[in-house]
Amino acid sequence: MPVIAPSAGETATVTYEVLVEKRRSGEGRWFDTENYTDSGADSPGRLITQALEATQHGRALAAALSPGHDLLMVARNRSRTDVDSNLDRPRNVGPLCFGVSKADARVWARKHKIGSPFQRARRTTVTTTGKPLQHKRGTHESIYVLPDENVQEAAVGVIAAGAEEALALAREHMQTVCGMNLHLMRGVLHGLDEGRYTACLSPSPGRCCVRLEPVV
């Protein structure tokens, strides 16, 4: 449950202190606190304010049935059966259930014909931040950045511009580029201990080419 904290120098805003659990590979868990301020529409804390208002009666009922329960995500339970086997959410209190289970996420995903909303939100947050949060750089790039459709779309223009610039430089410095390609292929042949072929220049209009010719 978010804790209301005073906003420095502000009287019309509300700041919520949220305890965040960040799971890591291996043993143990890492907890951190983050502040979200509700200063109006589209501010980070506005959704929390709306959630508190929407769940006010449910939270009051939970506190009356079981004093000490003060959880934000509360809803009316559809079924009272099999309430203790679902260990990824707090136990039910009377007709109330808390949190969002993996089963809830699967139902939501099937209904909307997309993947888990939590994975999508996590990926969006990580890619929007632009830097690893609790992941290594390799995990950040391979799991979150590269598969993201927005990142791929934004990269098209950058890659095309880089390719055009490289092509212009290659045409401007044709002799240097051709020499680099020639020595590259000679190095490959030397590394493979390949003596049957030799690398030689075979340029054509507007481009350079290195061919492998049999040694006579």
Side-chain angles (χ1 to χ4, degrees), residues 105-182:
R106 286 193 294 267
V107 171
W108 189 93
R110 286 196 300 267
K111 181 178 180 180
H112 293 81
K113 299 181 180 180
I114 61 175
S116 168
F118 306 110
Q119 292 178 355
R120 291 174 66 87
R122 182 188 184 99
R123 176 169 293 167
T124 300
T125 300
V126 173
T127 54
T128 300
T129 303
K131 61 181 180 180
L133 298 179
Q134 68 266 32
H135 310 101
K136 295 180 180 178
R137 170 63 65 177
T139 301
H140 170 72
E141 294 178 349
S142 62
I143 302 299
Y144 293 98
V145 177
L146 295 180
D148 187 83
E149 295 178 358
N150 295 327
V151 172
Q152 295 174 3
E153 183 178 352
V156 171
V158 177
I159 295 174
E164 291 177 358
E165 182 180 358
L167 180 59
L169 288 173
R171 287 174 174 170
E172 182 179 352
H173 304 281
M174 181 76 71
Q175 185 175 359
T176 301
V177 174
C178 290
M180 290 172 59
N181 290 337
L182 175 62

Side-chain angles (χ1 to χ4, degrees), residues 182 185-186 189 198-203 209-213:
L182 175 62
M185 295 308 300
R186 285 178 176 174
L189 292 175
T198 183
C200 57
L201 289 175
S202 180
C209 180
V210 177
R211 294 183 182 274
L212 299 181
E213 300 286 352

Side-chain angles (χ1 to χ4, degrees), residues 21-42:
E21 176 188 344
K22 299 181 177 180
R23 300 192 179 188
R24 290 180 170 179
S25 58
E27 297 293 333
R29 297 177 179 179
W30 178 42
F31 292 88
D32 194 10
T33 57
E34 297 183 2
N35 294 330
Y36 299 93
T37 299
D38 178 7
S39 58
D42 297 328

Side-chain angles (χ1 to χ4, degrees), residues 16-95:
Y16 300 100
E17 185 180 89
V18 181
L19 180 64
V20 181
E21 176 188 344
K22 299 181 177 180
R23 300 192 179 188
R24 290 180 170 179
S25 58
E27 297 293 333
R29 297 177 179 179
W30 178 42
F31 292 88
D32 194 10
T33 57
E34 297 183 2
N35 294 330
Y36 299 93
T37 299
D38 178 7
S39 58
D42 297 328
S43 61
R46 175 48 58 95
L47 183 60
I48 296 178
T49 299
Q50 294 173 336
L52 289 172
E53 293 174 351
T55 59
Q56 178 180 358
H57 298 294
R59 289 184 290 107
L61 176 58
L65 295 175
S66 179
H69 274 78
D70 193 16
L71 302 174
L72 176 61
M73 296 295 295
V74 57
R76 186 180 185 279
N77 193 23
R78 291 178 297 178
S79 174
R80 296 194 181 188
T81 61
D82 195 28
V83 295
D84 292 333
S85 62
N86 193 350
L87 300 180
D88 63 336
R89 69 194 305 175
R91 285 190 175 187
N92 295 358
V93 173

